[in-house]
mmCIF file of all heavy atoms in Angstrom:
data_model
loop_
_atom_site.group_PDB
_atom_site.id
_atom_site.type_symbol
_atom_site.label_atom_id
_atom_site.label_comp_id
_atom_site.label_asym_id
_atom_site.label_seq_id
_atom_site.Cartn_x
_atom_site.Cartn_y
_atom_site.Cartn_z
ATOM 1 N N ALA Y 682 -25.381 18.818 23.095
ATOM 2 C CA ALA Y 682 -25.975 19.085 21.787
ATOM 3 C C ALA Y 682 -25.919 17.851 20.898
ATOM 4 O O ALA Y 682 -26.818 17.613 20.088
ATOM 5 C CB ALA Y 682 -25.254 20.253 21.123
ATOM 6 N N SER Y 683 -24.853 17.063 21.038
ATOM 7 C CA SER Y 683 -24.687 15.884 20.192
ATOM 8 C C SER Y 683 -25.466 14.682 20.685
ATOM 9 O O SER Y 683 -25.918 13.854 19.901
ATOM 10 C CB SER Y 683 -23.202 15.506 20.101
ATOM 11 O OG SER Y 683 -22.443 16.561 19.560
ATOM 12 N N ASN Y 684 -25.605 14.583 22.018
ATOM 13 C CA ASN Y 684 -26.176 13.369 22.590
ATOM 14 C C ASN Y 684 -27.526 13.570 23.284
ATOM 15 O O ASN Y 684 -28.139 12.598 23.715
ATOM 16 C CB ASN Y 684 -25.187 12.770 23.590
ATOM 17 C CG ASN Y 684 -23.893 12.355 22.936
ATOM 18 O OD1 ASN Y 684 -23.786 11.293 22.353
ATOM 19 N ND2 ASN Y 684 -22.888 13.232 23.033
ATOM 20 N N GLY Y 685 -27.933 14.804 23.426
ATOM 21 C CA GLY Y 685 -29.222 15.068 24.072
ATOM 22 C C GLY Y 685 -29.191 14.842 25.568
ATOM 23 O O GLY Y 685 -30.244 14.716 26.199
ATOM 24 N N ARG Y 686 -28.053 14.782 26.153
ATOM 25 C CA ARG Y 686 -27.918 14.588 27.589
ATOM 26 C C ARG Y 686 -26.537 15.058 28.019
ATOM 27 O O ARG Y 686 -25.659 15.294 27.188
ATOM 28 C CB ARG Y 686 -28.093 13.119 27.966
ATOM 29 C CG ARG Y 686 -27.138 12.184 27.272
ATOM 30 C CD ARG Y 686 -27.458 10.716 27.539
ATOM 31 N NE ARG Y 686 -26.581 9.817 26.814
ATOM 32 C CZ ARG Y 686 -25.390 9.421 27.228
ATOM 33 N NH1 ARG Y 686 -24.924 9.859 28.410
ATOM 34 N NH2 ARG Y 686 -24.654 8.597 26.510
ATOM 35 N N LEU Y 687 -26.375 15.212 29.330
ATOM 36 C CA LEU Y 687 -25.073 15.610 29.838
ATOM 37 C C LEU Y 687 -24.177 14.387 30.006
ATOM 38 O O LEU Y 687 -24.646 13.255 30.078
ATOM 39 C CB LEU Y 687 -25.222 16.329 31.183
ATOM 40 C CG LEU Y 687 -26.068 17.609 31.208
ATOM 41 C CD1 LEU Y 687 -25.900 18.323 32.549
ATOM 42 C CD2 LEU Y 687 -25.686 18.546 30.083
ATOM 43 N N SER Y 688 -22.875 14.652 30.066
ATOM 44 C CA SER Y 688 -21.901 13.570 30.199
ATOM 45 C C SER Y 688 -21.518 13.365 31.660
ATOM 46 O O SER Y 688 -21.019 14.292 32.311
ATOM 47 C CB SER Y 688 -20.646 13.896 29.393
ATOM 48 O OG SER Y 688 -19.573 13.067 29.776
ATOM 49 N N PRO Y 689 -21.735 12.166 32.182
ATOM 50 C CA PRO Y 689 -21.302 11.899 33.565
ATOM 51 C C PRO Y 689 -19.793 12.095 33.734
ATOM 52 O O PRO Y 689 -19.341 12.557 34.783
ATOM 53 C CB PRO Y 689 -21.704 10.441 33.788
ATOM 54 C CG PRO Y 689 -22.784 10.178 32.786
ATOM 55 C CD PRO Y 689 -22.443 11.018 31.608
ATOM 56 N N GLU Y 690 -19.022 11.742 32.702
ATOM 57 C CA GLU Y 690 -17.569 11.849 32.819
ATOM 58 C C GLU Y 690 -17.134 13.301 32.912
ATOM 59 O O GLU Y 690 -16.267 13.661 33.716
ATOM 60 C CB GLU Y 690 -16.896 11.168 31.625
ATOM 61 C CG GLU Y 690 -15.410 10.968 31.795
ATOM 62 C CD GLU Y 690 -15.075 10.193 33.051
ATOM 63 O OE1 GLU Y 690 -15.727 9.174 33.326
ATOM 64 O OE2 GLU Y 690 -14.161 10.631 33.771
ATOM 65 N N ILE Y 691 -17.739 14.141 32.075
ATOM 66 C CA ILE Y 691 -17.399 15.569 32.160
ATOM 67 C C ILE Y 691 -17.857 16.126 33.507
ATOM 68 O O ILE Y 691 -17.155 16.927 34.139
ATOM 69 C CB ILE Y 691 -18.036 16.340 30.993
ATOM 70 C CG1 ILE Y 691 -17.422 15.873 29.666
ATOM 71 C CG2 ILE Y 691 -17.839 17.846 31.162
ATOM 72 C CD1 ILE Y 691 -18.022 16.519 28.437
ATOM 73 N N ALA Y 692 -19.027 15.690 33.948
ATOM 74 C CA ALA Y 692 -19.532 16.160 35.242
ATOM 75 C C ALA Y 692 -18.561 15.808 36.364
ATOM 76 O O ALA Y 692 -18.306 16.609 37.269
ATOM 77 C CB ALA Y 692 -20.907 15.555 35.511
ATOM 78 N N SER Y 693 -17.961 14.600 36.274
ATOM 79 C CA SER Y 693 -17.062 14.170 37.346
ATOM 80 C C SER Y 693 -15.792 15.013 37.393
ATOM 81 O O SER Y 693 -15.131 15.093 38.433
ATOM 82 C CB SER Y 693 -16.701 12.693 37.172
ATOM 83 O OG SER Y 693 -15.870 12.521 36.041
ATOM 84 N N LYS Y 694 -15.452 15.651 36.263
ATOM 85 C CA LYS Y 694 -14.202 16.393 36.205
ATOM 86 C C LYS Y 694 -14.293 17.781 36.844
ATOM 87 O O LYS Y 694 -13.309 18.519 36.835
ATOM 88 C CB LYS Y 694 -13.735 16.516 34.746
ATOM 89 C CG LYS Y 694 -13.383 15.181 34.113
ATOM 90 C CD LYS Y 694 -12.387 14.405 34.968
ATOM 91 C CE LYS Y 694 -12.116 13.014 34.412
ATOM 92 N NZ LYS Y 694 -11.242 12.225 35.284
ATOM 93 N N ILE Y 695 -15.463 18.143 37.400
ATOM 94 C CA ILE Y 695 -15.497 19.411 38.155
ATOM 95 C C ILE Y 695 -14.583 19.305 39.368
ATOM 96 O O ILE Y 695 -14.178 20.322 39.944
ATOM 97 C CB ILE Y 695 -16.935 19.766 38.594
ATOM 98 C CG1 ILE Y 695 -17.461 18.728 39.604
ATOM 99 C CG2 ILE Y 695 -17.863 19.911 37.400
ATOM 100 C CD1 ILE Y 695 -18.763 19.133 40.269
ATOM 101 N N SER Y 696 -14.223 18.077 39.733
ATOM 102 C CA SER Y 696 -13.316 17.889 40.871
ATOM 103 C C SER Y 696 -11.929 18.455 40.584
ATOM 104 O O SER Y 696 -11.128 18.650 41.497
ATOM 105 C CB SER Y 696 -13.204 16.408 41.218
ATOM 106 O OG SER Y 696 -12.670 15.685 40.129
ATOM 107 N N LEU Y 697 -11.635 18.734 39.299
ATOM 108 C CA LEU Y 697 -10.336 19.289 38.939
ATOM 109 C C LEU Y 697 -10.297 20.810 39.062
ATOM 110 O O LEU Y 697 -9.229 21.410 38.939
ATOM 111 C CB LEU Y 697 -9.985 18.897 37.493
ATOM 112 C CG LEU Y 697 -9.948 17.393 37.190
ATOM 113 C CD1 LEU Y 697 -9.719 17.157 35.702
ATOM 114 C CD2 LEU Y 697 -8.851 16.718 38.004
ATOM 115 N N LEU Y 698 -11.466 21.414 39.289
ATOM 116 C CA LEU Y 698 -11.538 22.877 39.343
ATOM 117 C C LEU Y 698 -11.304 23.380 40.767
ATOM 118 O O LEU Y 698 -11.221 22.603 41.727
ATOM 119 C CB LEU Y 698 -12.908 23.347 38.842
ATOM 120 C CG LEU Y 698 -13.344 22.833 37.446
ATOM 121 C CD1 LEU Y 698 -14.745 23.353 37.125
ATOM 122 C CD2 LEU Y 698 -12.351 23.269 36.386
ATOM 123 N N THR Y 699 -11.223 24.684 40.879
ATOM 124 C CA THR Y 699 -11.158 25.283 42.219
ATOM 125 C C THR Y 699 -12.486 25.018 42.918
ATOM 126 O O THR Y 699 -13.519 24.818 42.251
ATOM 127 C CB THR Y 699 -10.923 26.791 42.115
ATOM 128 O OG1 THR Y 699 -12.057 27.402 41.457
ATOM 129 C CG2 THR Y 699 -9.651 27.098 41.326
ATOM 130 N N PRO Y 700 -12.520 25.015 44.251
ATOM 131 C CA PRO Y 700 -13.776 24.752 44.960
ATOM 132 C C PRO Y 700 -14.913 25.665 44.525
ATOM 133 O O PRO Y 700 -16.058 25.221 44.369
ATOM 134 C CB PRO Y 700 -13.399 24.962 46.427
ATOM 135 C CG PRO Y 700 -11.949 24.609 46.479
ATOM 136 C CD PRO Y 700 -11.373 25.111 45.186
ATOM 137 N N THR Y 701 -14.602 26.935 44.320
ATOM 138 C CA THR Y 701 -15.653 27.886 43.939
ATOM 139 C C THR Y 701 -16.236 27.525 42.581
ATOM 140 O O THR Y 701 -17.466 27.462 42.409
ATOM 141 C CB THR Y 701 -15.084 29.315 43.900
ATOM 142 O OG1 THR Y 701 -14.583 29.645 45.197
ATOM 143 C CG2 THR Y 701 -16.160 30.317 43.494
#
Side-chain angles (χ1 to χ4, degrees):
S683 300
N684 297 278
R686 57 187 177 85
L687 300 190
S688 164
E690 192 56 45
I691 295 177
S693 69
K694 295 307 175 184
I695 65 170
S696 61
L697 302 175
L698 306 178
T699 64
T701 300

